[in-house]
Amino acid sequence: GLGLFAINPDGTEKWHYPIHDQRCIYVGIDGTIYALSLQTLYAIDKNGTLKWQYESQGGWGSKFVFSPDGKTLYSYYYTGIISFDIDNKTENWRFGNGRVHAALVDSKGNININIEEGNQFKNYSLTKSGEIRWEFLHNELCFEMTMDKFGNLFFGVNTLYSLDYNGQLRFSIPLGGSSSDLVSDIHGNLYIFQGTKDHKINILSYTNTGSLRWSIITEQSATPGACAAIAFNKLILPTWESGIFYSIE
């Protein structure tokens, strides 16, 4: 059936919680599993038991991120962005009427979003109370954003943009193609993934000042997937449909 499943290490089903129109799931700091449907937020414990649920009359987005302390959830996509207090189970505020394509919460609790408003794309930095810190107008959709330890923000698909912590443009670099994801390491180096015309993956690495470090093209045919990550000093890249999973040192 539909819903949320937990799987044992041997591949057998541990438990199942039915959710008809589930959109996404995340795990909170305390291990609580949060699942979103069109109208309802579910909080489920590690044993598959419902702790509570909350129905939003205005609807939820299809994605969400958390505040650094794990006490506030920010849901986003078609509905702008919604701030939700987990402890009190109340909506704090809503911002924007356009489609929010990406959201990132920094270590100080400010929320950075990429939003499509009419025919324009903007990046906003919002305080935890929903006030605008700064806004940056551009013409670039982005699916993911990343921030280095200095507070510099990076985003873009066809162009790589970097803004400082106060929203001032540091640089913009044409990428010569459409990228699907980007991540940064502890040194601030960036890693960008592009699909090529012959169905391979071009992986580019830039410094946090915008200089190209290196680029490589994979040998096998594959399409870059979402959710690239860095772990154990390796770059981890899943792909779509090809069954290939890249680990790069």
Side-chain angles (χ1 to χ4, degrees):
L2 299 174
L4 181 63
F5 291 83
I7 307 299
N8 291 309
D10 63 0
T12 58
E13 181 181 316
K14 185 176 181 180
W15 52 258
H16 166 228
Y17 188 87
I19 300 174
H20 175 65
D21 54 355
Q22 179 180 310
R23 292 184 169 193
C24 62
I25 59 171
Y26 290 86
V27 180
I29 291 176
D30 63 352
T32 298
I33 303 160
Y34 296 94
L36 276 178
S37 70
L38 185 62
Q39 296 288 340
T40 308
L41 170 65
Y42 299 87
I44 300 164
D45 70 18
K46 62 181 180 180
N47 298 312
T49 301
L50 180 69
K51 297 174 70 175
W52 52 265
Q53 66 185 61
Y54 178 88
E55 293 191 16
S56 172
Q57 297 303 314
W60 294 100
S62 59
K63 306 175 183 179
F64 55 90
V65 290
F66 290 96
S67 61
D69 61 8
K71 294 184 178 181
T72 306
L73 177 151
Y74 302 99
S75 170
Y76 66 96
Y77 199 38
Y78 291 107
T79 55
I81 188 164
I82 307 161
S83 171
F84 181 79
D85 186 313
I86 292 174
D87 288 341
N88 295 318
K89 302 174 185 58
T90 56
E91 294 183 29
N92 297 322
W93 48 262
R94 290 176 176 251
F95 179 87
N97 296 312
R99 181 184 298 186
V100 175
H101 292 279
L104 178 151
V105 181
D106 64 37
S107 61
K108 294 183 179 179
N110 298 312
I111 309 101
N112 300 276
I113 64 171
N114 174 271
I115 187 170
E116 183 178 352
E117 297 180 327
N119 295 321
Q120 293 182 327
F121 292 93
K122 285 184 179 181
N123 271 52
Y124 286 99
S125 176
L126 309 174
T127 66
K128 31 185 150 174
S129 58
E131 299 172 346
I132 298 173
R133 292 182 61 238
W134 52 257
E135 62 182 87
F136 179 78
L137 175 65
H138 54 92
N139 191 30
E140 185 77 5
L141 164 70
C142 77
F143 301 113
E144 299 289 343
M145 293 186 283
T146 188
M147 181 176 285
D148 66 19
K149 63 182 179 181
F150 308 106
N152 299 311
L153 186 69
F154 304 89
F155 63 92
V157 172
N158 297 296
T159 302
L160 174 63
Y161 286 92
S162 177
L163 309 180
D164 68 19
Y165 197 66
N166 296 313
Q168 299 300 306
L169 179 66
R170 299 177 65 238
F171 60 78
S172 62
I173 301 172
L175 294 173
S178 178
S179 61
S180 65
D181 206 353
L182 76 164
V183 293
S184 59
D185 64 23
I186 192 172
H187 305 293
N189 298 314
L190 303 169
Y191 304 90
I192 300 170
F193 312 95
Q194 296 177 322
T196 66
K197 292 181 180 179
D198 55 351
H199 308 292
K200 296 181 180 180
I201 301 175
N202 185 24
I203 305 173
L204 305 98
S205 177
Y206 286 86
T207 67
N208 75 337
T209 56
S211 298
L212 181 65
R213 298 175 63 227
W214 50 260
S215 66
I216 58 173
I217 296 178
T218 60
E219 295 180 358
Q220 300 96 334
S221 294
T223 302
C227 303
I230 295 175
F232 308 108
N233 294 318
K234 294 181 180 180
L235 185 62
I236 310 299
L237 176 63
T239 62
W240 291 114
E241 298 180 344
S242 63
I244 299 172
F245 190 89
Y246 289 101
S247 175
I248 303 169
E249 294 187 8

